[in-house]
Amino acid sequence: MIAFLIKRLMHAVLVMFVISVLAFAIQDNLGDPIQQMVGQSVPESEREALRERLGLNDSFLVQYGRFAKNAVQGDFGYSYFYREPALGVIARHLPATLELVFAATLIIVLLSVPIGVYSAIKPRAVLSRFFMGASIIGISIPVFLTAIVLIQIFSIGITVTLFPESTGWGAWLNGLLSTQGSMPSFGRGYDLVHVVGHWDTNMASWDGLKHLVLPAISLASIMLPLFIRLIRAEMMEVLQSEYVKYARAKGISMRRVYFVHALKNTMLPVITVGGVQIGTMVAYTILTETVFQWPGMGLMFLDAINRADIPLIVAYLMIVGVIFVVTNTIVDLVYGFVNPTVKLTGKPA
Amino acid sequence: MTLKKTLLASLIGATIAGGALLPLTASAETLRIGYSADPETLDIHEQLSGGMLRFSHLAFDPLVRWTKDFDFEPRLATEWEQTDDTHIRMTLREGVTFHSGNPFTAKDVVWTIERLQESPDYKAIFEPIASAEAIDDYTVEITTTEPYPLMLNLATYIFPMDSEFYTGETDSGNDKAEIVKAGNSFASRNVSGTGPFRLTDRRQGVRVDFERFEDYWDTETEGNVSSIVLTPISENASRVAALLSGGVDFIDAVPPNDLERIRESGDVELIEVPGTRIIGFQLNEEKVEAFQDVRVRQAVDLAINQQGIADRLMRGFATPAGQFSPEGYSGHNPDLVPRYDLERAQELMAEAGYEDGFTVDMIAPNNRYVNDAQIAQAVANMLSRINIRVNLRTMPLAQYWPEYDTRQSDIAMLGWHSDTEDSANFFQYLSFCIDDETGAGQYNYGNYCNEEIDALVTEADSVTDLERRNEMLREAEAMLYEDVGFVMLHWQNLAYAAANGVDIEPVVNAIDFPYLGDLVISR
């Protein structure tokens, strides 16, 4: 166990090192940060002085050496735009992203397990076919489109005049399909509850929750179909296995067979995939957060790219790398608990 | 008896005063703004940008400000007088206080001008000023190095700062007045101005909160906004959605694709203002020999259908241009209009011996100006009709400027807004012969050079008789038009939208700084 954790820690360090080298290597292609910092009529001499002060004229090795020396001491540089340490900026934006990812995960877990299990048990039911069809559509719609459609329907509202308004049934159908739209379409709202440090939560007030709903749904929309299909496929496989047949033959109630014996083994691969996907979801927040102006890391990162805020870009990439390593480690640990036959250190048993 | 009379008089007085104050206090309104960007910093001299100037108009007041028709309106300066060729004397408003409580006097103006001269972004603009001196508490005398006709234009950039507040040392021993770009200076975190709104909270990139300054000097304004919440929403579609869903009351930079949608929506109002930013192309004479021939340059200009681009591509969201200066500017010459004529263009190409044309590279940004990449594409297609084959490359802003600075491409797109809201600025940066010593022609991508025009504009800049000066600038525009020193396309319009009842029309202007202190909300 200890050996495993130490090994993973070294992984994390290696990942950070590789990412930082890569990020530094491409920084010249990210654009000129000076251009974003000065007015249009500032003469070249002033620009050059600023470039010199920020150390942008030094060679790659000198710049990287300086960065690495500071990074080892926990200083990841200074964001040009926020005018404060990059790590602090990320820490400030992290809670918003984590809350969003948490809410989306919650939606995925609460929906995918029952739907997946149901459509495995009753593969021919109309509802199962509907879920399968819907999940194919869901998987192919890009997240920003989902987000914009959600905003149009639930925030702005749509007026349907498809049916003749003069007839009673037409007006009724029009009314049924039209939406008022009152959900907030951007930001985290003004009613946040402070928890600790940089963490203000959306989850403790009605207004906060309302702001969270649409972004969480659109973020969940990419992963949900995937998990429904995954759980369904795994469950169907498990239901064919010998031990399930044996349990049924023994006369154990179907309920118990499905939800105690079969589901346990279904969830094993789902946990592995799920852990990796949570890491991916942090990356997907870039799109969701941009559309909803959700002030988390994703939006911060996209803005940083537009502003060529190189220290912040480098720090973000490294932190995301660490998040991947950490989630994978946790997944492996959890997997070990769920399935004790797996040896963490990977030594032959 | 006298006591009674006094009492009565003061009662009446109080009633009148109360009545006058009533509209202010009775309808406290919060304005929720969704701008495309929030102010980069709180130090108004750290960066010259649209976002910063908008912030300056909220938390500070300029000495004078532009009206919608490009006249000057007194703010902290009430009167001004050109005492001789190089001296201007300004009388300042009395009874003005800063947000910190310090009184506003002439020493603050002097201090601010001196700080502007230190600012990397403003230094060049304030070069003509030799010195500023406080004659008494409410009189300032500004001396220019040479006769300078644009002193009032500069005064629109002088937002007096609270000199007492910004003087001294911070706990860590730094000078409170220092200007540090992208650094953690005192002035970038703390603010004290005289403006209509006091900053109460700021989370960069997330939101900025303002409250109306209770001791604001301008008690005659009908503006009734009591607090402002500014949320930056950079994504165009999200900004429009935020307004349509009622999440914000006022947005800027409505994208052309959404203009129709907003016009048709009954709940919000669209305000379009003709802008002052000229969009055009620069032909690189260094790289392409053909562009040194005035006939080829004219052919390029004639082959481009400015009206068509403005109508179809920009959906009426632009004013086709034949010159730098938009209407209202001193040098605007009403005779110079776009002259699309494809046949004549083909003839000119033939005359110049380029009947078969040639192949060129073109670069354009794809996220800087409205529809920039599409415009470049359209222009490339138009040029193909005079056999100029264009290889177009478009790129995001952050990469565009470094590419632009190398001057390696044959044609480049550029948009320019005159910092002084004056015509001469366009020439000095875009068409003057390049001179690294003086910084002239800093954005003259194509190395175009016409010394006659340069001489005329330079002379105009020392003529304080504004009528004669305007005449000269109009002449310069006409010469550039003939010589095609810059391929003009259009002035990009500005579009704002606001919820019904938020009456933005009177407070928005072509310079893109809404005067929100005067905004009236009636719901």
Side-chain angles (χ1 to χ4, degrees):
Chain A
M1 179 78 176
I2 303 284
F4 169 75
L5 285 180
I6 289 173
K7 205 172 143 193
R8 281 307 169 94
L9 191 69
M10 284 162 72
H11 273 183
V13 172
L14 186 72
V15 165
M16 286 173 87
F17 172 71
V18 172
I19 290 180
S20 67
V21 172
L22 284 179
F24 256 82
I26 60 162
Q27 65 165 319
D28 282 342
N29 300 317
L30 292 175
D32 180 10
I34 303 296
Q35 191 66 42
Q36 314 278 315
M37 283 185 230
V38 296
Q40 58 182 9
S41 50
V42 172
E44 190 49 46
S45 55
E46 290 289 343
R47 290 168 199 247
E48 200 47 46
L50 185 57
R51 212 167 269 141
E52 191 63 44
R53 181 168 76 78
L54 295 176
L56 294 172
N57 284 337
D58 300 336
S59 69
F60 171 75
L61 279 181
V62 174
Q63 284 196 50
Y64 187 78
R66 191 171 44 218
F67 170 79
K69 198 177 132 216
N70 291 333
V72 174
Q73 295 161 5
D75 173 7
F76 285 68
Y78 213 77
S79 160
Y80 300 145
F81 177 72
Y82 290 94
R83 294 155 174 82
E84 53 183 289
L87 222 47
V89 175
I90 293 176
R92 214 144 34 83
H93 287 85
L94 189 64
T97 297
L98 291 185
E99 281 203 352
L100 184 56
V101 171
F102 174 75
T105 311
L106 207 64
I107 294 175
I108 293 173
V109 171
L110 289 182
L111 289 181
S112 66
V113 176
I115 294 178
V117 170
Y118 174 80
S119 45
I121 299 173
K122 294 207 161 78
R124 292 185 197 286
V126 177
L127 206 56
S128 300
R129 286 163 190 266
F130 167 76
F131 283 136
M132 287 306 106
S135 68
I136 280 287
I137 296 173
I139 231 167
S140 18
I141 296 179
V143 60
F144 59 86
L145 187 62
T146 318
I148 286 173
V149 170
L150 284 176
I151 289 177
Q152 182 66 46
I153 296 177
F154 296 107
S155 297
I156 300 173
I158 47 172
T159 316
V160 176
T161 50
L162 206 64
F163 306 101
E165 191 68 33
S166 50
T167 60
W169 60 271
W172 181 77
L173 274 176
N174 282 341
L176 192 71
L177 292 175
S178 301
T179 53
Q180 286 292 320
S182 58
M183 295 297 285
S185 72
F186 72 97
R188 300 182 72 188
Y190 308 132
D191 201 8
L192 298 180
V193 179
H194 183 78
V195 184
V196 63
H198 288 306
W199 185 19
D200 292 321
T201 184
N202 267 65
M203 309 218 177
S205 67
W206 181 235
D207 182 63
L209 284 172
K210 262 168 72 176
H211 278 83
L212 189 59
V213 170
L214 293 187
I217 291 179
S218 51
L219 184 59
S221 71
I222 352 156
M223 298 293 174
L224 184 58
L226 182 79
F227 277 93
I228 292 178
R229 299 189 82 85
L230 182 71
I231 291 175
R232 174 177 177 267
E234 290 296 332
M235 185 84 175
M236 285 176 100
E237 205 182 305
V238 170
L239 288 181
Q240 300 298 322
S241 60
E242 298 292 326
Y243 81 93
V244 172
K245 285 180 188 163
Y246 177 66
R248 285 168 73 173
K250 245 175 92 179
I252 297 172
S253 78
M254 288 315 285
R255 236 185 123 104
R256 208 176 146 74
V257 173
Y258 289 143
F259 291 101
V260 177
H261 298 285
L263 191 60
K264 244 188 204 165
N265 280 315
T266 302
M267 292 317 277
L268 282 180
V270 175
I271 289 171
T272 325
V273 176
V276 178
Q277 294 299 337
I278 286 181
T280 317
M281 208 136 75
V282 174
Y284 269 112
T285 57
I286 293 177
L287 291 173
T288 313
E289 287 183 5
T290 309
V291 178
F292 287 100
Q293 197 65 30
W294 189 264
M297 284 201 310
L299 181 64
M300 177 209 78
F301 179 61
L302 201 78
D303 283 343
I305 287 187
N306 284 333
R307 298 184 184 110
D309 193 343
I310 292 162
L312 194 55
I313 296 175
V314 175
Y316 171 86
L317 291 175
M318 290 170 70
I319 295 294
V320 168
V322 171
I323 289 178
F324 265 89
V325 174
V326 169
T327 46
N328 277 342
T329 308
I330 293 175
V331 167
D332 288 347
L333 286 178
V334 171
Y335 202 83
F337 286 121
V338 181
N339 185 359
T341 57
V342 174
K343 285 276 180 293
L344 285 176
T345 39
K347 277 184 205 138
Chain B
M1 252 346 201
T2 31
L3 182 72
K4 263 189 179 170
K5 264 185 188 165
T6 325
L7 215 76
L8 193 71
S10 52
L11 253 174
I12 294 170
T15 320
I16 294 171
L21 282 173
L22 210 60
L24 271 178
T25 46
S27 53
E29 294 282 357
T30 298
L31 178 72
R32 295 162 304 161
I33 306 178
Y35 275 164
S36 44
D38 58 343
E40 289 95 346
T41 162
L42 297 184
D43 184 350
I44 55 172
H45 296 162
E46 187 180 326
Q47 182 158 7
L48 202 183
S49 69
M52 284 313 296
L53 286 164
R54 285 180 179 176
F55 168 69
S56 304
H57 278 284
L58 287 175
F60 294 82
D61 279 303
L63 290 180
V64 300
R65 74 180 183 190
W66 294 103
T67 65
K68 270 171 135 36
D69 313 313
F70 289 99
D71 285 328
F72 296 105
E73 183 186 348
R75 295 306 284 172
L76 291 186
T78 51
E79 278 165 53
W80 46 88
E81 188 194 359
Q82 189 94 36
T83 45
D84 61 51
D85 267 1
T86 55
H87 291 88
I88 187 165
R89 204 172 263 243
M90 291 193 157
T91 311
L92 303 176
R93 198 174 289 279
E94 298 183 23
V96 176
T97 46
F98 286 104
H99 298 167
S100 65
N102 295 332
F104 160 73
T105 62
K107 72 172 190 321
D108 299 303
V109 177
V110 172
W111 189 88
T112 303
I113 292 176
E114 284 168 359
R115 191 165 188 265
L116 279 163
Q117 291 174 315
E118 297 289 312
S119 155
D121 278 37
Y122 283 94
K123 199 183 269 179
I125 300 175
F126 277 82
E127 198 144 49
I129 294 186
S131 65
E133 198 189 336
I135 305 293
D136 60 49
D137 266 2
Y138 297 103
T139 313
V140 173
E141 187 174 72
I142 298 171
T143 313
T144 55
T145 45
E146 277 161 53
Y148 186 63
L150 302 177
M151 198 45 233
L152 284 178
N153 299 43
L154 288 197
T156 63
Y157 279 125
I158 303 175
F159 294 87
M161 294 170 78
D162 188 343
S163 61
E164 227 169 285
F165 180 79
Y166 291 104
T167 302
E169 278 190 0
T170 61
D171 294 340
S172 49
N174 294 326
D175 184 2
K176 286 184 177 177
E178 68 177 346
I179 304 173
V180 186
K181 254 192 195 299
N184 189 0
S185 63
F186 175 81
S188 72
R189 305 252 172 228
N190 300 280
V191 59
S192 171
T194 60
F197 296 98
R198 206 163 44 81
L199 185 121
T200 50
D201 189 24
R202 170 172 182 256
R203 266 173 288 165
Q204 196 167 10
V206 180
R207 62 184 276 190
V208 196
D209 291 43
F210 297 92
E211 231 162 67
R212 196 166 192 100
F213 178 39
E214 54 279 13
D215 295 327
Y216 189 50
W217 59 268
D218 190 355
T219 49
E220 276 160 33
T221 175
E222 292 182 349
N224 65 349
V225 175
S226 56
S227 57
I228 291 179
V229 180
L230 193 165
T231 312
I233 308 181
S234 51
E235 193 64 28
N236 283 340
S238 309
R239 195 164 60 249
V240 172
L243 177 73
L244 291 176
S245 66
V248 296
D249 306 311
F250 172 41
I251 61 170
D252 70 341
V254 179
N257 290 340
D258 285 316
L259 292 175
E260 253 346 275
R261 196 165 154 215
I262 290 195
R263 264 189 216 118
E264 279 165 14
S265 163
D267 306 326
V268 295
E269 196 187 356
L270 178 76
I271 304 289
E272 278 183 73
V273 187
T276 57
R277 185 186 294 279
I278 182 80
I279 307 289
F281 287 90
Q282 293 170 302
L283 308 175
N284 196 340
E285 298 180 18
E286 292 252 287
K287 301 279 289 182
V288 182
E289 206 183 318
F291 288 150
Q292 291 172 10
D293 189 327
V294 63
R295 288 170 298 188
V296 175
R297 295 201 300 269
Q298 282 174 345
V300 168
D301 189 33
L302 290 170
I304 296 174
N305 184 354
Q306 283 97 337
Q307 188 69 49
I309 291 177
D311 287 347
R312 287 198 288 280
L313 233 168
M314 301 292 285
R315 299 169 195 233
F317 193 62
T319 315
Q323 58 190 317
F324 286 136
S325 313
E327 210 177 328
Y329 270 35
S330 47
H332 180 76
N333 186 336
D335 301 335
L336 310 177
V337 291
R339 48 192 155 170
Y340 171 58
D341 184 344
L342 189 56
E343 262 174 53
R344 179 79 193 116
Q346 281 157 345
E347 275 170 37
L348 279 167
M349 286 293 277
E351 274 174 39
Y354 292 102
E355 211 165 2
D356 299 330
F358 45 87
T359 304
V360 291
D361 294 329
M362 181 195 274
I363 53 168
N366 59 19
N367 60 353
R368 176 68 183 99
Y369 314 115
V370 177
N371 286 345
D372 38 17
Q374 294 94 315
I375 293 171
Q377 188 63 53
V379 167
N381 287 338
M382 288 170 181
L383 292 185
S384 70
R385 284 187 229 149
I386 53 171
N387 291 330
I388 298 180
R389 293 167 293 277
V390 177
N391 298 322
L392 173 64
R393 266 192 314 136
T394 63
M395 57 201 95
L397 186 63
Q399 276 114 64
Y400 186 68
W401 292 120
E403 178 74 36
Y404 182 93
D405 284 340
T406 62
R407 297 190 181 173
Q408 286 306 306
S409 193
D410 305 327
I411 303 181
M413 186 179 197
L414 184 73
W416 191 261
H417 164 251
S418 162
D419 281 336
T420 48
E421 307 295 340
D422 175 74
S423 303
N425 176 283
F426 288 112
F427 291 93
Q428 284 152 359
Y429 282 95
L430 307 184
S431 76
F432 263 32
C433 306
I434 296 175
D435 184 340
D436 289 335
E437 286 284 297
T438 63
Q442 196 185 337
Y443 286 81
N444 183 351
Y445 190 85
N447 207 10
Y448 169 80
C449 188
N450 183 331
E451 276 162 9
E452 262 180 82
I453 299 181
D454 292 10
L456 186 61
V457 174
T458 308
E459 198 196 331
D461 241 2
S462 58
V463 174
T464 46
D465 172 4
L466 288 180
E467 254 326 293
R468 205 166 85 77
R469 176 170 185 275
N470 294 349
E471 196 59 48
M472 294 164 81
L473 289 172
R474 281 197 285 271
E475 174 64 24
E477 286 280 15
M479 287 161 74
L480 192 80
Y481 182 72
E482 246 353 277
D483 208 26
V484 194
F486 189 92
V487 181
M488 315 280 175
L489 273 189
H490 53 241
W491 299 286
Q492 185 176 302
N493 285 3
L494 305 172
Y496 302 92
N500 286 342
V502 180
D503 192 11
I504 52 167
E505 206 277 326
V507 300
V508 297
N509 45 48
I511 22 207
D512 213 5
F513 312 140
Y515 300 145
L516 298 177
D518 297 336
L519 177 68
V520 179
I521 301 183
S522 48
R523 284 195 249 238

